[in-house]
Amino acid sequence: MTTAPELLSPPSGPPPTPRVPRHGMPTAIGVAVALSVAFAMGQVLYWAQPAITSPLPWMRVFLLPETAPFTLTRRLLYVGWVIAAALGLLLLVMHRRASATGPGGDVRSVRACQFGILGALLLPYAVMPLDILAGAPLLLLMCLPTTAVALLCVHHVQLYRRLPARLLLTGFGGGVLIGGGFGTVMIMWFQRYAGGYLLDWERPRDAIRSLYTLLSLHAGTFSELGKAAGVAVLYLLFRRHFDGVVSGAVVGAAVGLGFNLTETVRYMAVIEPGQASTQFWMRQVVGLMAVHVAFTALVGAGFGAARRLPAHRDRLVVVGGGVTAAIGGHFATDATMPRLAAWTENLFSHNQTLDLLLGVPLVTALTSGPFVIAYVVILRLGLREQAVGLAEAVRAEAATGTGAITHPEADLLLLPRRRLLLELRVWRRDGTAGVRHLRRLHQAQLDLATQHCYRTSPGSDSLVPHESVLRDRVLRLKGLAVPAVRPTLPPEQEVPS
C-alpha cells in the first residue's frame, strides 16, 4: 500500500485544541429564548383579556380552571428563566475574566453553563407530554410499534451516508417532549384567553366561527414553530452531520414522528377517548407518514439546503420557506378537515365503515398529499445530487492510494443494493457483529467522501471535519496502520468527537 505524501509532512505547530463552536450554542439558546418569549406573550394576553360575563352555559368552557400539568409547566418555566439568567451572568463573568487573562479559559465550564441554560429554557415543556404519555401507558404501547416502523423507514431512506442513530432518536425525543409540549401549552394559552377578545354577544355565531378559524391558525403556527425549534437546535449543535436536504428532511421527519406520537396519545386519551380506535387509524396508520411528518420534513429540508448555501440571506430564505410551508399546510389541514370529513360522510351515505376505510385516506390525500409529494420529490432529488457528489469524491479518494477506499470499494459504496447483499453474506458468515463492523466501515468511508465533497462546496465552514481525521478512522476500522504524523489543521478547525 502506498502512503499519501501529505500524511507524512511534518507539523508546523502544536496540535489544535477543541473549542466551543462560536455560533451554534448561542444561537440555539436564542431559539429557546424565542419560545420563552412566545410563552410570555400568552401569559400577558391572558392577564390582559377582558372578563367573560355571560349567562350562556357553553361559555363555561372558557372559564375552566387550568390543569395541574399546565400550572407545573408555567412555574417551572419561571424558575427556568431565573436559572438561565443566573447562568448567563456567570458566563458573562467568565468571558470578562478570559478577556483579562487571555485565551485558554475553561471550555468545559462554558459548555456546561450553555447546556444548563438550554435545558432550563426547554425542559419545562416536557411536563405536559410526560403527563399525557404516563397517564395512558396502554395507548402509548399501542402506538409505539407503528411509530418504530416508521422511524426505521425514515432511517433507511438514507441510501448513502446516514445520520448517527442517536441523532435521529434525539430528534424523535425532541418532537415527543419539546415540540409536543410547546404546541400543547400554546394551544391551551389560546383557549384560555381567546374568548375574552373574540366573543361577540351580539353576533355569537360569527364570533365562534372566527374563534375556531383563529384556533386552527394558532395551532398550526405554534405547533410547527415548536417542531421547527427542535430541528433548529439539532442543526445548530450537530451541524457537521447535516450535509444536504436528505439529512435535513430525515431529521425533520423524525421530529414530526415524535410530535405525532404525543398528539395521537393525547387525542386517544384526553380529547376523544370514545373514538380511540378511529384516532389510531387516522394518525398512526393513514396519516403516519403524512401530516406532521410531511410538514416537518419540509422544515428540515430547508435547514439541510441552508447548510450548502454560502450567503446568510439565502439560508434565511430557504429556512423561512420551509417553516412557512409547514405552517400553511398545518393551518389548511385543520381548517378544511371538518368540511371535508362532512363531505366524505355524505359521499359514503353515512356508512361509518366505508367512511373510515375510504373517507379518511381521501381526506388525508387532499389535505397533506401535496406536502407528502413535495418531500418525496425533495428526497429523490437530494439522493441523486448526493450520489453524483459521492461518485466524484469516492473515486478521488481511491486514486490517492491511502487504502481508506480502494477502487473495488468505490464501486460498492455507490450501489446500495450491492452493499445490502454483501451485508447478508457477512451476516451468514460472521453474524450480527460482522454486519455491525461492516456497516461502521461503510459509513466511515461515506462520511470521508461526503465531507471531502462538502469541503470543496461554497458553503464549507470550520465545522467540516478534516479528511485526515476521517481517513484515520477508516484505516483503524480496516485494521491498517495509521500514519503517526498528520498535517496541522487550520486554527479554526474543530476536531470532531
Side-chain angles (χ1 to χ4, degrees):
M1 180 187 71
T2 59
T3 305
E6 66 268 20
L7 292 180
L8 300 178
S9 59
S12 59
T17 56
R19 65 176 180 85
V20 180
R22 287 178 296 177
H23 304 293
M25 179 59 79
T27 311
I29 293 174
V31 171
V33 170
L35 298 186
S36 293
V37 170
F39 180 90
M41 290 174 60
Q43 177 71 81
V44 171
L45 288 172
Y46 174 73
W47 282 337
Q49 70 169 326
I52 298 177
T53 55
S54 172
L56 299 178
W58 58 271
M59 289 298 170
R60 296 173 185 172
V61 70
F62 299 103
L63 302 174
L64 293 176
E66 64 182 36
T67 61
F70 182 82
T71 302
L72 181 59
T73 300
R74 183 165 52 83
R75 292 176 179 174
L76 287 179
L77 272 169
Y78 298 156
V79 173
W81 295 346
V82 175
I83 295 175
L87 292 175
L89 290 175
L90 180 59
L91 276 177
L92 183 61
V93 171
M94 294 172 62
H95 176 71
R96 290 183 175 179
R97 185 179 301 172
S99 300
T101 59
D106 190 351
V107 174
R108 291 185 178 179
S109 298
V110 172
R111 191 182 294 270
C113 287
Q114 290 176 335
F115 274 104
I117 294 173
L118 194 63
L121 295 177
L122 292 181
L123 289 181
Y125 296 113
V127 171
M128 296 194 70
L130 288 176
D131 177 74
I132 294 170
L133 299 178
L138 294 180
L139 296 178
L140 174 61
L141 289 175
M142 185 189 302
C143 298
L144 281 179
T146 52
T147 302
V149 170
L151 191 60
L152 192 63
C153 291
V154 167
H155 180 62
H156 284 282
V157 162
Q158 307 168 91
L159 299 180
Y160 302 104
R161 182 192 183 228
R162 289 178 178 171
L163 294 168
R166 64 182 181 276
L167 179 57
L168 213 60
L169 291 175
T170 301
F172 173 76
V176 170
L177 300 177
I178 308 305
F182 178 76
T184 304
V185 165
M186 295 306 296
I187 290 173
M188 292 190 70
W189 266 138
F190 182 84
Q191 292 172 339
R192 290 179 62 78
Y193 68 68
Y197 294 101
L198 300 175
L199 290 179
D200 185 353
W201 312 124
E202 297 181 358
R203 293 177 296 176
R205 188 180 299 274
D206 293 340
I208 293 298
R209 186 180 295 111
S210 301
L211 186 66
Y212 279 101
T213 301
L214 289 177
L215 176 61
S216 298
L217 179 60
H218 187 278
T221 300
F222 287 100
S223 295
E224 297 307 323
L225 287 179
K227 292 186 289 180
V231 178
V233 169
L234 291 176
Y235 170 80
L236 293 165
L237 298 185
F238 304 98
R239 198 155 76 232
R240 68 186 184 89
H241 292 295
F242 285 73
D243 57 5
V245 295
V246 175
S247 55
V250 164
V251 170
V255 173
L257 280 172
F259 185 95
N260 184 71
L261 176 64
T262 300
E263 186 174 75
T264 301
V265 176
R266 179 169 174 255
Y267 268 82
M268 293 173 68
V270 179
I271 298 179
E272 296 187 9
Q275 298 183 357
S277 58
T278 301
Q279 292 297 322
F280 182 87
W281 168 253
M282 291 174 56
R283 300 174 184 276
Q284 286 294 313
V285 180
V286 177
L288 183 60
M289 297 301 291
V291 195
H292 295 300
V293 171
F295 302 151
T296 321
L298 294 180
V299 175
F303 279 98
R307 184 73 171 98
R308 308 297 297 269
L309 297 175
H312 184 67
R313 175 183 294 181
D314 294 339
R315 295 181 180 184
L316 293 179
V317 168
V318 295
V319 170
V323 175
T324 303
I327 293 174
H330 196 144
F331 167 65
T333 299
D334 287 353
T336 60
M337 187 77 74
R339 289 183 175 272
L340 290 175
W343 172 69
T344 57
E345 188 177 358
N346 293 328
L347 179 65
F348 296 108
S349 303
H350 300 276
N351 187 314
Q352 293 184 356
T353 302
L354 284 178
D355 192 29
L356 276 178
L357 295 179
L358 300 178
V360 170
L362 180 59
V363 171
T364 303
L366 291 175
T367 52
S368 60
F371 297 91
V372 174
I373 294 173
Y375 85 74
V376 170
V377 170
I378 288 173
L379 280 173
R380 286 181 62 85
L381 294 176
L383 287 171
R384 289 181 184 177
E385 181 185 5
Q386 197 175 39
V388 172
L390 283 174
E392 298 178 359
V394 165
R395 294 187 176 112
E397 177 63 30
T400 62
T402 60
I405 299 177
T406 63
H407 288 286
E409 289 174 332
D411 297 331
L412 176 68
L413 291 172
L414 298 173
L415 298 172
R417 293 183 181 178
R418 284 187 58 188
R419 282 193 280 117
L420 178 60
L421 293 176
L422 178 61
E423 289 176 3
L424 292 175
R425 289 198 296 268
V426 171
W427 176 72
R428 294 193 196 100
R429 187 188 65 188
D430 300 327
T432 306
V435 174
R436 285 202 301 265
H437 181 79
L438 180 64
R439 287 178 178 174
R440 284 197 298 267
L441 173 61
H442 285 168
Q443 288 305 308
Q445 291 173 322
L446 290 169
D447 196 35
L448 169 62
T450 300
Q451 300 298 359
H452 173 78
C453 177
Y454 180 67
R455 182 173 288 279
T456 60
S457 69
S460 177
D461 57 33
S462 62
L463 294 179
V464 181
H466 198 273
E467 289 91 337
S468 60
V469 180
L470 302 173
R471 188 178 292 117
D472 289 354
R473 186 180 304 167
V474 175
L475 294 176
R476 291 191 187 95
L477 288 171
K478 283 189 167 187
L480 301 177
V482 178
V485 180
R486 295 188 314 204
T488 300
L489 305 184
E492 71 276 7
Q493 174 68 41
E494 179 191 8
V495 180
S497 56

